[in-house]
Amino acid sequence: MLAVENLHASYGAVQVLHGIDLEVRQGEIVTLLGANGAGKSTLLKTIFGAPAVKAGSIAFCGKPLKGLLSHHVADLGIAHSPEGRRIMPKMTVLENLQIGAFLSDPKHFQDDLKKVFRLFPRLEERSWQRAGTMSGGEQQMLAIGRALMQRPRLLLLDEPSLGLAPLVIRLIFDAIQKINQEDGITVLLVEQNAAMALSIADRGYVLQTGRVVHAGDAEVLASQPEIRNAYLEGMTAP
């Protein structure tokens, strides 16, 4: 579904990605692991064209993404729930979800809204509340729900567990599995909680200073001593 080949990207004169090769197959959950500054978030942003591809290629279902504007990438069926949530704090929960549905056919809106509310009942309870007054966990639910209102085929999730309590993290990751298994949405997940990410993923890639240093099935990665020592020691799935 997603094919990244020899990808190079930079912010001005600072090169961040150095020849990334990665693939995401339809129906999978694939996780990107790595320390802060490894290039994980930059890779997701490059899929949407900012920063631009400096060299190499990105293709979605065989269509090259290089040079496309962000809204054209979204039109193809890719949605991005960014790090830090980036909700509209002064708008209500419902208004944020309406923004997510902007590119979708209006005839699907009510059905899609019901799906999001079934996935995250708290959002229905808070539908008329200003998003900025909700807890961090509720805002993360909203960020994911807003992306789902786009009806994506591929969902990019950037650090969905960041700053959340263990119980909320478990709820968020259960929702990710439901999105994948029940709705058939393919997921590319950036996550620093490596234990949690590998527990739900099919495959994973480990980035280090903008390069892929490990790749393979999630269970295999979780069992490798160098991965355990670097990313899993002292960390368990909630």
Side-chain angles (χ1 to χ4, degrees):
M1 176 175 273
L2 183 73
V4 177
E5 296 183 0
N6 193 32
L7 181 64
H8 296 254
S10 61
Y11 294 108
V14 180
Q15 186 163 345
V16 180
L17 303 181
H18 304 266
I20 298 287
D21 289 307
L22 173 149
E23 68 173 5
V24 180
R25 303 163 193 151
Q26 186 169 347
E28 286 187 316
I29 298 177
V30 174
T31 186
L32 297 178
L33 308 176
N36 285 333
K40 307 183 302 297
S41 295
T42 298
L43 176 55
L44 298 193
K45 292 174 182 177
T46 304
I47 293 170
F48 273 86
V53 175
K54 185 177 180 181
S57 66
I58 306 174
F60 177 65
C61 295
K63 181 176 179 62
L65 302 185
K66 184 176 180 179
L68 292 185
L69 297 175
S70 296
H71 65 279
H72 291 153
V73 175
D75 277 339
L76 295 175
I78 306 176
H80 184 198
S81 178
E83 182 181 4
R85 297 147 199 162
R86 307 283 180 88
I87 59 168
M88 304 298 181
K90 294 184 179 181
M91 292 184 175
T92 67
V93 168
L94 182 58
E95 287 169 339
N96 271 268
L97 295 174
Q98 288 171 328
I99 289 173
F102 182 75
L103 294 175
S104 300
D105 190 327
K107 70 181 182 183
H108 299 300
F109 179 79
Q110 289 299 330
D111 287 340
D112 293 342
L113 189 64
K114 289 177 183 178
K115 284 184 180 180
V116 169
F117 285 162
R118 280 197 298 269
L119 189 66
F120 298 120
R122 184 61 62 88
L123 296 182
E124 184 172 18
E125 296 169 10
R126 305 292 179 96
S127 59
W128 297 106
Q129 183 173 334
R130 285 193 179 187
T133 66
M134 297 197 302
S135 69
E138 291 165 344
Q139 290 183 21
Q140 185 60 66
M141 296 174 201
L142 179 56
I144 296 173
R146 181 181 58 186
L148 291 174
M149 291 299 292
Q150 189 183 316
R151 311 189 111 232
R153 298 164 64 192
L154 172 64
L155 177 61
L156 312 182
L157 294 174
D158 197 347
E159 301 287 7
S161 77
L162 188 64
L164 303 183
L167 187 62
V168 181
I169 293 174
R170 180 71 264 176
L171 189 154
I172 292 293
F173 274 80
D174 284 347
I176 294 170
Q177 284 187 295
K178 287 181 182 178
I179 291 165
N180 175 253
Q181 295 172 0
E182 297 179 9
D183 296 326
I185 298 172
T186 304
V187 178
L188 179 57
L189 169 67
V190 165
E191 181 55 58
Q192 286 205 33
N193 188 330
M196 198 73 207
L198 290 172
S199 74
I200 69 167
D202 298 290
R203 294 186 302 110
Y205 293 83
V206 180
L207 271 60
Q208 184 176 324
T209 59
R211 296 175 173 85
V212 174
V213 292
H214 297 282
D217 291 342
E219 290 184 4
V220 174
L221 286 177
S223 69
Q224 292 180 0
E226 60 268 39
I227 303 297
R228 296 194 64 82
N229 293 338
Y231 303 103
L232 299 175
E233 191 170 329
M235 182 179 290
T236 58

